[in-house]
């Protein structure tokens, strides 16, 4: 009985797959939507190029006048900020 049920389930799965593939080939293609109108001031601006410029500016390092922060300095700054947050949360618990 179990073997017959497995065969029926397998055949039903194969039939469903066949229907899906047959329907997939016969569906009509909808026309592609028209491209969006560019906003004012964006005439012939390639969004990919804008993103490339932003990425290049970020990769180039700190801007002039800014000094690169060492890893230890950054860790210390983040640790201090976390300690301040923890202290403020504990102050809030004391009041409640």
């Amino acid at each position: 009985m179990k073997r017959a049920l497995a065969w029926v389930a397998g055949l039903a799965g194969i039939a469903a797959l066949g229907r899906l593939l047959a329907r997939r080939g016969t569906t009509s293609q909808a026309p592609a939507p028209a491209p969006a109108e560019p906003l004012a001031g964006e005439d012939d601006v390639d969004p990919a190029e804008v993103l490339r410029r932003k990425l290049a500016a970020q990769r180039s390092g700190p801007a002039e006048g800014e000094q690169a922060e060492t890893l230890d300095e950054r860790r210390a700054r983040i640790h201090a900020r976390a300690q301040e947050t923890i202290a403020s949360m504990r102050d809030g618990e004391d009041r409640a």
Side-chain angles (χ1 to χ4, degrees):
M1 184 68 182
K2 289 181 183 180
R3 188 176 287 171
L5 183 61
W7 274 100
V8 170
L11 290 174
I14 291 172
L17 179 63
R19 286 184 191 169
L20 177 70
L21 292 175
R23 190 175 13 172
R24 187 175 173 195
T26 60
T27 57
S28 62
Q29 293 286 337
E37 294 285 328
L39 298 176
E42 290 187 358
D43 296 334
D44 298 329
V45 175
D46 184 19
E49 186 60 36
V50 172
L51 292 174
R52 284 187 196 105
R53 279 190 238 132
K54 287 181 182 179
L55 183 59
Q58 288 177 351
R59 286 184 179 171
S60 67
E64 291 181 26
E66 292 182 14
Q67 188 175 11
E69 187 177 37
T70 65
L71 184 59
D72 289 333
E73 291 170 342
R74 183 167 187 233
R75 285 180 181 160
R77 180 178 48 84
I78 291 172
H79 181 74
R81 190 170 62 193
Q83 292 298 326
E84 290 172 6
T85 303
I86 291 170
S88 69
M89 291 174 131
R90 285 188 179 149
D91 290 343
E93 288 178 1
D94 294 340
R95 289 184 221 156

